[in-house]
Amino acid sequence: MSTLRPTGSLIPVDAPFSAAQESWLAGFIAGVAAAGRRSTAPAPTTTVDVLFGTQTGNAEVLADQLVAGAVARGLGGRATALDDVSPEQLADMSHVLVVTSTYGEGEMPDNAGLFWEALQASTVPRLEGLQYAVLGLGDTSYDEFCQAGKLLDTRLEQLGATRIHDRVDCDVDFEDPAELWTAAVLDRVAAQAGATGAAAGATTGVGATTTATAAGGAGASRASRPGAQWTKRTPYRAPLVVNRLLSAPGSAKEIRHLEFDLGDSGIEYAAGDALAVVPHNDPALVDELLDHLGADGSADVDGRTLAEVLRVDREVRTPSKDLVADLVQRAPASELAAVVAHGDKQELDRWLWGRDVLDLLRDAGPAAPTLEELLPNLRGLQARQYSISSSPLAHPGRVHLTIASVRYGDAHRTHHGVASTYLADRVQADGEVGVYLQPNAAFGVPADGDAPMVMIGPGTGIAPFRGFLHERAASGARGANWLFFGDQHRATDFVYEDELTDLQERGVLDRLDVAFSRDQAEKVYVQTRMREQAAELYRWLEDGASVYVCGDASRMAKDVEQALLDVIAAGRGRGVDDALAYLADLRRAKRYVRDVY
Ligand code: NAP
């Protein structure tokens, strides 16, 4: 009789298989065994389609959690990006849960724009057979709060779909309302379906540790991937092991290279993901605020000092909308009240830009609120997300960030960016920082190592592309790589120049075009270089290149998109509409992706 292998394998020791065959066979047997185990549970009769629209990955993580929650209730579940669903496919679905963030001034996030366009067409099928609910993610400091979710909710209703549950619009602290909404919606669907899985309400899927096996065969859930236990509430305390200035003396910028040790966190990131940093406020700013308010920082607030609460828990830099409204009411003679009275939103934004809570309290004079009155109008201190600038293949166990420290001011006051200067100045050598991973599955190197990449990342927008290039070098991918980079001055702001030169010499970086905007009388930007290289750039697109853009969303990303359209129009010679359609196709094929904010 054959003996079993010591590993517990079911394959006899003397079986005539190669190591590769044996490994395949072991996987096959495990799969058959798992299928046998699964067959004891009845197959789900209702599938919940979770459709997500995401810019920074939050909606995608929630979508995975919803799928896990559906599966835990005996339902089928499948998460899909909105742009990957056509109206016809939508019409074939029975239960749809939409989770979407909003981008910029009320726009759809990058992976939902095509879906939204298609849904507005007059030929779109009616959706009478569809039950749905929408969860919006947003930020109340924007005027068009959760606009994408609101638009989708209304449009689905117009098309005849039935709402299973009211839409919930979440502010930046989305975790609690999202968890409640998830539980309520899934319980309702499970009750309707008479699902026979785990008890309804047993889990929301949030923090679920099992893989959400989607009915549609989706892969491993990001919600359950290693390191997912580290969140905003429970960040991993990662030692900051490198804090190095990249920009040279004389630069108007202070750009830093930071490295964290991931230790035993289990965090597994991919090049292109972001790392969220849980910052602390500057104690000097907290003291100034306490001073101004005449408050005692050592006073006890639920077992902590007031100074500690302001340092760790509250946003004391950017004034909330509620605070602005409160101050206008209290101090009608203030400068702020006068600007608000004009009713010009842009003028108000300009006035508020760079002013912090203390500036506004000073402006309100004696009418300013007391500390007790102020506290409810200070929002929770938010984690800040930074694009990771390393590759796990090239830098195992470490995560790198590339951050410009925000510092500005006048003769009276200097303002400091909360997280950038926390990392630059206030974390001691080897001090620990609360971090967690913000996966961004849509923004990564092409799965096909032979596919060319075009990367456009001025300023700190270079961050993910440094990671992409290291990833491609480490994996031995042979696809051609082209980087457009720029900043103010070559002499002081050409960050990672040595590394980029080395990557060029090693044949990893095939083309590098730089645009230093202030080295000559005329401004030169990355899009100037794109236009100069239009014919070659178009050739790369035709050769299957993916185009990535990272950096400033307000102007750069729009101007770069226009340049890309011009390049396409010049290459094809078929006009603007044709270029727009070509770019839409690139987007649909996930060959035009952006990480911009
Ligand atoms: P920056 O202010 O964007 O400046 C970099 C270069 O871009 C400068 O040479 C600047 O020129 C030029 N520039 C200005 N306007 C432009 C335009 N319309 N089109 C093209 N180039 C333009 O650099 P930064 O200080 O590193 O800031 C980068 C921005 O990207 C920040 O807003 C940051 O928050 C964002 N960022 C986002 C991500 C992300 O989404 N994941 C990652 C990293 C950075 P002049 O100043 O001479 O006009």
Side-chain angles (χ1 to χ4, degrees):
M1 201 173 122
S2 303
T3 50
L4 288 180
R5 297 191 171 224
T7 54
S9 165
L10 292 171
I11 305 164
V13 225
D14 50 1
F17 296 133
S18 70
Q21 286 168 324
E22 192 190 309
S23 152
W24 179 86
L25 201 55
F28 178 76
I29 292 169
V32 170
R37 281 197 298 279
R38 276 203 296 273
S39 70
T40 55
T45 51
T46 300
T47 292
V48 177
D49 276 289
V50 184
L51 309 185
F52 60 88
T54 192
Q55 198 70 33
T56 62
N58 283 328
E60 190 170 1
V61 171
L62 284 178
D64 283 330
Q65 290 172 348
L66 272 158
V67 170
V71 171
R73 286 166 174 79
L75 300 161
R78 177 166 57 192
T80 316
L82 279 158
D83 271 359
D84 290 341
V85 176
S86 67
E88 291 69 30
Q89 287 169 320
L90 183 68
D92 281 343
M93 294 171 179
S94 64
H95 294 78
V96 164
L97 305 181
V98 176
V99 190
T100 185
S101 62
T102 295
Y103 168 61
E105 300 300 316
E107 294 148 47
M108 291 288 154
D110 266 0
N111 68 348
L114 297 170
F115 174 82
W116 175 236
E117 218 172 279
L119 208 61
Q120 285 168 291
S122 55
T123 51
V124 72
R126 298 283 303 166
L127 300 173
E128 258 86 20
L130 181 75
Q131 301 199 46
Y132 79 100
V134 176
L135 181 71
L137 302 185
D139 181 339
T140 43
S141 59
Y142 286 85
D143 282 345
E144 304 295 340
F145 173 58
C146 284
Q147 181 67 2
K150 289 174 186 169
L151 289 172
L152 287 166
D153 190 30
T154 307
R155 184 64 181 145
L156 291 173
E157 183 183 37
Q158 281 170 352
L159 291 171
T162 307
R163 203 176 276 113
I164 314 169
H165 193 283
D166 284 344
R167 188 187 72 245
V168 165
D169 298 330
C170 304
D171 200 354
V172 282
D173 282 318
F174 62 85
E175 288 82 357
D176 284 344
E179 199 167 333
L180 287 173
W181 181 91
T182 296
V185 172
L186 290 178
D187 282 353
R188 194 163 300 179
V189 178
Q192 272 179 12
T196 52
T203 173
T204 56
V206 176
T209 50
T210 53
T211 298
T213 323
S221 159
R222 272 165 299 277
S224 63
R225 83 181 191 181
Q229 73 272 32
W230 308 113
T231 64
K232 188 153 76 183
R233 288 185 194 139
T234 57
Y236 177 69
R237 306 284 309 162
L240 175 63
V241 288
V242 176
N243 176 358
R244 177 162 55 88
L245 191 61
L246 290 175
S247 43
S251 172
K253 307 264 183 94
E254 178 192 318
I255 306 167
R256 292 186 170 273
H257 174 85
L258 304 157
E259 294 187 18
F260 295 94
D261 187 340
L262 292 176
D264 59 359
S265 66
I267 292 176
E268 285 181 13
Y269 71 94
D273 283 348
L275 190 75
V277 170
V278 181
H280 292 170
N281 285 310
D282 184 353
L285 175 62
V286 169
D287 285 347
E288 264 190 282
L289 196 60
L290 288 166
D291 233 33
H292 181 82
L293 292 161
D296 175 9
S298 65
D300 180 82
V301 182
D302 299 331
R304 286 188 299 170
T305 66
L306 176 57
E308 174 79 353
V309 169
L310 289 175
R311 192 174 66 87
V312 173
D313 276 355
R314 300 304 172 104
E315 177 64 62
V316 297
R317 259 207 43 76
T318 311
S320 68
K321 277 199 160 157
D322 288 346
L323 178 61
V324 169
D326 183 59
L327 290 173
V328 168
Q329 213 176 20
R330 285 174 189 277
S334 66
E335 211 179 312
L336 170 67
V339 177
V340 169
H342 279 166
D344 181 342
K345 163 86 175 72
Q346 282 186 341
E347 189 194 345
L348 177 62
D349 284 347
R350 261 196 306 277
W351 191 87
L352 283 172
W353 194 91
R355 284 185 157 91
D356 69 2
V357 169
L358 184 55
D359 289 325
L360 265 59
L361 293 178
R362 286 183 173 150
D363 175 58
T370 62
L371 181 80
E372 288 70 31
E373 291 163 336
L374 174 68
L375 274 180
N377 288 326
L378 296 181
R379 303 209 306 174
L381 185 57
Q382 293 305 310
R384 267 59 170 180
Q385 290 176 22
Y386 296 102
S387 310
I388 291 174
S389 58
S390 51
S391 148
L393 294 182
H395 307 100
R398 290 264 176 115
V399 63
H400 301 181
L401 301 181
T402 307
I403 300 182
S405 308
V406 177
R407 303 179 203 271
Y408 59 93
D410 53 27
H412 309 292
R413 274 195 77 193
T414 311
H415 290 279
H416 301 280
V418 177
S420 63
T421 62
Y422 166 67
L423 294 171
D425 306 340
R426 300 194 296 280
V427 181
Q428 306 300 318
D430 277 334
E432 290 176 351
V433 175
V435 301
Y436 58 95
L437 188 67
Q438 188 74 47
N440 188 355
F443 201 79
V445 295
D448 175 3
D450 290 336
M453 292 200 299
V454 175
M455 297 160 278
I456 303 156
T460 47
I462 193 176
F465 304 139
R466 175 179 180 263
F468 282 15
L469 289 168
H470 282 302
E471 175 90 3
R472 281 205 138 182
S475 68
R478 288 172 311 174
N481 300 307
W482 187 348
L483 174 66
F484 289 89
F485 168 70
D487 214 318
Q488 294 181 358
H489 299 289
R490 175 186 280 269
T492 53
D493 307 319
F494 197 170
V495 298
Y496 300 121
E497 181 178 5
D498 292 350
E499 276 186 31
L500 293 175
T501 307
D502 178 57
L503 286 162
Q504 278 183 298
E505 284 167 4
R506 286 160 58 200
V508 177
L509 180 55
D510 298 84
R511 295 203 54 152
L512 172 63
D513 279 279
V514 289
F516 292 101
S517 52
R518 304 189 191 188
D519 276 350
Q520 59 285 305
E522 300 278 299
K523 286 269 179 166
V524 174
Y525 289 153
V526 282
Q527 60 269 30
T528 320
R529 300 290 180 236
M530 291 168 67
R531 289 196 171 93
E532 286 168 2
Q533 306 291 332
E536 180 67 3
L537 191 47
Y538 180 66
R539 225 181 342 268
W540 278 55
L541 295 181
E542 284 291 283
D543 284 348
S546 291
V547 180
Y548 300 86
V549 182
C550 180
D552 166 60
S554 62
R555 292 168 305 144
M556 184 277 293
K558 294 187 177 100
D559 294 347
V560 162
E561 181 158 307
Q562 187 54 53
L564 199 55
L565 283 168
D566 293 346
V567 164
I568 296 165
R572 293 169 63 78
R574 294 186 203 159
V576 178
D577 287 348
D578 172 77
L580 282 167
Y582 188 97
L583 193 66
D585 281 346
L586 285 185
R587 212 189 275 272
R588 211 170 279 118
K590 300 186 175 41
R591 284 177 45 209
Y592 173 47
V593 277
R594 308 186 306 169
D595 178 11
V596 297
Y597 58 78

